[in-house]
Amino acid sequence: MARLEQQPRQRMSPKDRLASIKEAAQQQALKEGLQTLTYRSLAARLGVSHSLIVHYISDLAELRAQTYSKLILAELSSIQVSVAPAPTAIGKLTELIGLLSVTGREETASLWLDGWTIGRLDALMAAEVRAAMLAWQDFIEEILNTGVDAGDFDVDAVSGCAWEIIALFDGLNSHMLVAFGAPEEYRFRIAAPIESRLHLQPGTLTGTTNFRGDERP
């Protein structure tokens, strides 16, 4: 029987190799956290040598920061696409609250916390976190300005209000990660203070008026 000749392994181009490393870094960050990104962990994930990763990634801090920014801004872009079809600012805000207050976002929620923690001592990460937060600030301000112009929202300081709304979502990220409170109530608990801040009737952003938010979580 003739022996089959083994085909030589095709080498990846430098561009493709770097792309594969960055993709692996994103997958690992979502599943295990940004802190776990090391040369050895990436080498093990890709089944390559430690030295190969070092050759392509000279600065792990830069890779962590880039990975954070890529994933966080990808979620923002996805949310913007989902919110865009809503014809009114109230509709956009309702959709936004619904998207951010459901379980299943734990991986991305954990990235925010990883970024803040690492950014405490890492200036590069801190800069990327601030840039992501500013992108969210601009997004929320745009929705609020649309609502103010249409007469839907009564708010005197749009920028400050957007900051407060983002802080609510940041807090929800933390609660979601440890299942604090009842997940089915997250949407109502987030909507209630926003409705109050914008001088909207209770239930406007959830489509209901029968939720009681006075119970202990």
Side-chain angles (χ1 to χ4, degrees):
M1 180 181 294
R3 187 174 66 180
L4 295 175
E5 293 186 3
Q6 185 176 11
Q7 295 296 324
R9 179 179 297 178
Q10 186 176 6
R11 297 184 63 181
M12 297 179 68
S13 69
K15 179 180 178 180
D16 289 343
R17 176 64 71 186
L18 181 58
S20 73
I21 293 173
K22 290 183 176 181
E23 176 64 26
Q26 292 171 31
Q27 294 175 1
Q28 184 170 325
L30 286 172
K31 299 297 182 182
E32 303 172 27
L34 283 168
Q35 296 93 333
T36 69
L37 291 182
T38 65
Y39 290 121
R40 295 193 183 281
S41 68
L42 288 170
R45 176 174 285 271
L46 289 170
V48 298
S49 67
H50 170 274
S51 60
L52 181 65
I53 303 298
V54 174
H55 174 74
Y56 282 94
I57 305 297
S58 60
D59 188 339
L60 271 176
E62 182 177 1
L63 176 65
R64 291 193 189 99
Q66 291 176 348
T67 300
Y68 168 89
S69 181
K70 178 77 172 179
L71 293 169
I72 289 295
L73 293 181
E75 183 194 40
L76 174 58
S77 178
S78 175
I79 287 173
Q80 288 173 323
V81 169
S82 297
V83 167
T88 66
I90 288 178
K92 293 180 189 298
L93 200 50
T94 299
E95 180 69 14
L96 178 63
I97 291 170
L99 290 169
L100 295 183
S101 60
V102 294
T103 56
R105 291 189 55 255
E106 288 80 2
E107 290 181 349
T108 307
S110 69
L111 283 177
W112 280 107
L113 273 70
D114 288 348
W116 291 323
T117 301
I118 296 172
R120 176 173 173 263
L121 300 175
D122 184 333
L124 187 59
M125 180 64 79
E128 292 296 340
V129 174
R130 289 193 298 269
M133 295 179 77
L134 282 173
W136 268 95
Q137 177 81 19
D138 291 342
F139 174 47
I140 300 297
E141 283 189 22
E142 182 179 356
I143 294 176
L144 295 181
N145 279 320
T146 299
V148 170
D149 292 342
D152 293 332
F153 301 153
D154 179 9
V155 55
D156 53 355
V158 166
S159 179
C161 183
W163 188 96
E164 294 164 16
I165 291 173
I166 291 171
L168 283 170
F169 286 131
D170 289 341
L172 180 59
N173 283 337
S174 301
H175 291 191
M176 187 179 294
L177 288 177
V178 294
F180 181 70
E184 65 272 14
E185 295 180 2
Y186 287 164
R187 180 166 62 101
F188 302 100
R189 294 190 181 277
I190 288 295
I194 297 176
E195 289 166 345
S196 177
R197 183 68 170 84
L198 299 178
H199 297 91
L200 297 173
Q201 290 296 316
T204 300
L205 300 178
T206 58
T208 182
T209 59
N210 59 5
F211 173 73
R212 291 184 61 199
D214 55 351
E215 294 88 351
R216 182 171 178 165

